[in-house]
Amino acid sequence: MTGDRVREISSPTNPLIKDIRALHMRKARAETGLFVAEGARTVREALDHGVVPEMLAYRADQRDQPAVAGVRKAAGDAGALLLEVSAGVLEKISQRDNPQSVIGVFRQRVRKLSELDPAKSQVWLALEGVKDPGNLGTCVRTADAVGAGGVILIGNTCDPFSPEAVRATMGSIFAVPLYAADTAEAVAFVRGWPGTCVGTALQTDTDYRTVAYSAPTLIVNGTEQSGLGPEIRAACGKLVRLPMRGRADSLNLSVAAGIMLYAVWHRLEGSAR
Ligand SMILES: C[S@@+](CC[C@H](N)C(=O)[O-])C[C@H]1O[C@@H](n2cnc3c(N)ncnc32)[C@H](O)[C@@H]1O
């Protein structure tokens, strides 16, 4: 590690610190293409997936703690700018009341649908107009858990790189490729999907357990408030409903996505045996 890639910073008004703090705002994230992920475990997850932070800030007085020292060395060796900061400075750039000892600044990556190869995985997830960052992050985490090929964000969604969304992914933001498309592009893409494309909706009587899924299966979920829009709904080959016995009028979006991801994964694995 070369010394000129390490800066000691004790002032919260340092310009680099101000730039990192600004990444809490969507506008700054959009302008810079950067985002923040907190915690040594999350940064380790990134490095394990070959994603190197542009900058890594850590508490100077904790630099030799094993978890901090490990990511500090790996990130520094891979070319990250290391910021050795005071506890007060780390508190300023953290979103949490109880700040982590490590904060990474990473470059955002969202792919186009033209880069997506459906054959790369048996199961894929698409979310139309997801608005809640916790839901988006949980969906990415669950998609990772079943080995989904990626998550497609359709239309106007919340920012997958907001601190809330990133935190909810628990590191899976670095493992699961994200794709983005407007509604017209997504409709054409869904129509050309080579396997099963299944929309989840309340407005159907088809029980999700009765469908014969074929690989690759694309699961499409609607927005929290109004569900699937008419264009995407019409483009999906099938619509399914998760039956509900009690009085709830719908499931939480990420719960519905999780049930579908597991059901499709198990069904396709079972049929491959
Ligand atoms: C909170 S729900 C949206 C409810 C909305 N009022 C509607 O009419 O669809 C968010 C998304 O989760 C999925 N979802 C929730 N409950 C579901 C269920 N019981 N069956 C199928 N999909 C469900 C659908 O993709 C839905 O668009």
Side-chain angles (χ1 to χ4, degrees):
M1 197 190 315
T2 54
D4 60 353
R5 297 293 292 165
V6 183
R7 305 251 202 297
E8 285 177 31
I9 300 176
S10 56
S11 166
T13 58
N14 176 290
L16 275 177
I17 300 303
K18 282 186 170 171
D19 289 349
I20 299 175
R21 285 185 70 186
L23 295 175
H24 295 159
M25 288 174 292
R26 187 167 189 164
K27 185 167 175 280
R29 290 194 299 276
E31 282 169 4
T32 59
L34 298 173
F35 72 102
V36 163
E38 297 197 28
R41 187 180 162 279
T42 300
V43 173
R44 167 54 62 195
E45 198 75 29
L47 290 163
D48 288 350
H49 283 95
V51 182
V52 178
E54 307 244 323
M55 289 183 264
L56 186 77
Y58 51 88
R59 274 179 57 165
D61 60 349
Q62 295 179 347
R63 68 189 302 282
D64 295 323
Q65 283 188 2
V68 178
V71 291
R72 176 170 61 79
K73 174 152 181 21
D77 287 350
L81 176 62
L82 303 180
L83 308 178
E84 288 204 358
V85 304
S86 61
V89 168
L90 202 77
E91 208 169 302
K92 284 276 183 222
I93 52 180
S94 171
Q95 277 266 303
R96 305 193 184 190
D97 295 338
N98 215 348
Q100 301 272 347
S101 46
V102 171
I103 295 178
V105 176
F106 294 88
R107 187 145 297 281
Q108 301 171 20
R109 177 142 193 223
V110 178
R111 295 160 162 92
K112 296 188 176 82
L113 286 184
S114 54
E115 297 174 74
L116 191 156
D117 176 4
K120 281 214 164 133
S121 179
Q122 293 203 314
V123 56
W124 296 79
L125 180 66
L127 304 172
E128 186 185 20
V130 52
K131 292 290 183 287
D132 181 302
N135 278 342
L136 198 165
T138 304
C139 286
V140 170
R141 183 179 178 185
T142 313
D144 186 13
V146 304
V151 174
I152 303 167
L153 301 174
I154 303 173
N156 193 8
T157 69
C158 61
D159 182 1
F161 300 105
S162 71
E164 300 82 4
V166 170
R167 197 176 308 142
T169 72
M170 292 293 288
S172 294
I173 188 86
F174 300 110
V176 178
L178 296 181
Y179 299 83
D182 62 25
T183 303
E185 270 179 284
V187 164
F189 181 80
V190 161
R191 285 195 197 283
W193 186 257
T196 302
C197 176
V198 63
T200 62
L202 301 167
Q203 302 80 3
T204 175
D205 291 329
T206 307
D207 185 319
Y208 76 107
R209 293 167 294 189
T210 64
V211 169
Y213 299 98
S214 61
T217 290
L218 173 62
I219 301 161
V220 190
N221 272 60
T223 188
E224 289 92 341
Q225 291 213 317
S226 49
L228 283 176
E231 296 103 321
I232 297 287
R233 193 187 308 177
C236 291
K238 290 182 170 62
L239 288 182
V240 296
R241 180 181 167 91
L242 301 155
M244 293 175 291
R245 186 175 273 173
R247 292 184 55 198
D249 63 3
S250 67
L251 294 167
N252 167 276
L253 161 63
S254 56
V255 170
I259 293 170
M260 285 300 297
L261 284 165
Y262 268 86
V264 169
W265 174 39
H266 285 160
R267 192 71 70 79
L268 292 178
E269 273 226 326
S271 61
R273 274 193 208 119

